[in-house]
Amino acid sequence: DAGITQSPRHKVTETGTPVTLRCHQTENHRYMYWYRQDPGHGLRLIHYSYGVKDTDKGEVSDGYSVSRSKTEDFLLTLESATSSQTSVYFCAISVGGERNIQYFGAGTRLSVL
Amino acid sequence: ELKVEQNPLFLSMQEGKNYTIYCNYSTTSDRLYWYRQDPGKSLESLFVLLSNGAVKQEGRLMASLDTKARLSTLHITAAVHDLSATYFCAPGPYGNKLVFGAGTILRVKS
């Protein structure tokens, strides 16, 4: 798992409540990503980070915010969860170099009721 | 808008048979990534194709890349049950971002 830990692994919440998902890495990689996975859509990029306090939007960023105050932690926040945000969320890191492979965490299954 | 199309989206095949999964993408990229995902699990890197004409093989899987045609293929030879999974292709990176196809669900039947 390339030293990536996602928490929580499962969460059930109610519409309108705030939710924060955490991604923690142990190897000081610069790039970190949040994706959501839904049937028929593959993985879609929500936000990514290219350094401490440096973040940018992805394809499906509406309704989500992120923060990265330390190299090792990348937080994804749903300010007011909606049922359409029920999904599996994956964090990834990019290890750089010639191959520049992205490695993924175990995922967080979020249900918004 | 960058589009990545995988075909087929679902593939049911008999053990021992051969088949190919296709990945077409709309915007030029010098490299392409293939990932595998088992049900309920995370994504695992399978292949990184770094240039036009690149071919990578591991076991019964072989991936190739034609950057001029914007096409990558994942060929399965003599399928076995253990290959049942979802396979994703992702061209890029585009500004350090990958764009994933919708995935091909492969079921190998004995």
Side-chain angles (χ1 to χ4, degrees):
Chain A
D1 64 0
I4 306 167
T5 304
Q6 290 187 232
S7 58
R9 293 291 316 280
H10 302 272
K11 186 169 182 67
V12 180
T13 192
E14 294 185 349
T15 299
T17 60
V19 177
T20 295
L21 309 183
R22 180 181 183 236
C23 178
H24 178 80
Q25 59 147 329
T26 60
E27 300 180 3
N28 288 326
H29 293 292
R30 180 181 175 193
Y31 285 87
M32 299 183 74
Y33 307 81
W34 276 108
Y35 293 89
R36 62 178 287 172
Q37 182 177 25
D38 305 288
H41 291 279
L43 273 78
R44 293 181 291 176
L45 182 65
I46 304 171
H47 282 280
Y48 69 102
S49 171
Y50 46 96
V52 173
K53 297 186 180 180
D54 292 323
T55 65
D56 205 351
K57 297 179 179 180
E59 177 188 2
V60 289
S61 60
D62 288 348
Y64 301 95
S65 62
V66 290
S67 65
R68 193 169 178 197
S69 59
K70 299 183 291 184
T71 300
E72 58 266 36
D73 289 326
F74 191 32
L75 304 181
L76 176 70
T77 297
L78 291 65
E79 300 289 348
S80 179
T82 67
S83 58
S84 65
Q85 293 176 313
T86 293
S87 187
V88 180
Y89 292 86
F90 286 100
C91 173
I93 60 169
S94 175
V95 299
E98 183 189 26
R99 289 155 56 88
N100 203 19
I101 297 173
Q102 287 190 18
Y103 292 95
F104 288 80
T108 295
R109 185 171 296 275
L110 175 67
S111 296
V112 183
L113 305 179
Chain B
E1 179 189 350
L2 172 63
K3 293 184 178 180
V4 182
E5 294 185 352
Q6 287 186 233
N7 289 290
L9 296 181
F10 181 78
L11 176 56
S12 180
M13 45 188 308
Q14 293 288 130
E15 278 192 330
K17 298 294 187 182
N18 304 333
Y19 208 83
T20 300
I21 299 170
Y22 297 88
C23 175
N24 291 272
Y25 52 99
S26 61
T27 300
T28 300
S29 172
D30 288 339
R31 61 182 63 187
L32 188 130
Y33 301 78
W34 283 97
Y35 286 84
R36 168 181 171 144
Q37 184 182 36
D38 292 316
K41 303 294 186 181
S42 185
L43 279 77
E44 172 189 354
S45 176
L46 274 179
F47 299 110
V48 181
L49 302 168
L50 295 176
S51 61
N52 185 42
V55 177
K56 295 281 188 181
Q57 182 166 5
E58 182 170 331
R60 301 174 188 274
L61 299 177
M62 183 174 71
S64 65
L65 178 61
D66 182 341
T67 59
K68 295 178 181 178
R70 300 183 201 132
L71 170 68
S72 181
T73 61
L74 181 65
H75 187 72
I76 304 153
T77 301
V80 293
H81 181 72
D82 286 351
L83 290 179
S84 296
T86 301
Y87 294 86
F88 294 95
C89 67
Y94 302 99
N96 279 289
K97 296 180 287 185
L98 297 181
V99 180
F100 286 81
T104 296
I105 301 172
L106 173 64
R107 294 291 176 260
V108 181
K109 301 181 293 184
S110 55

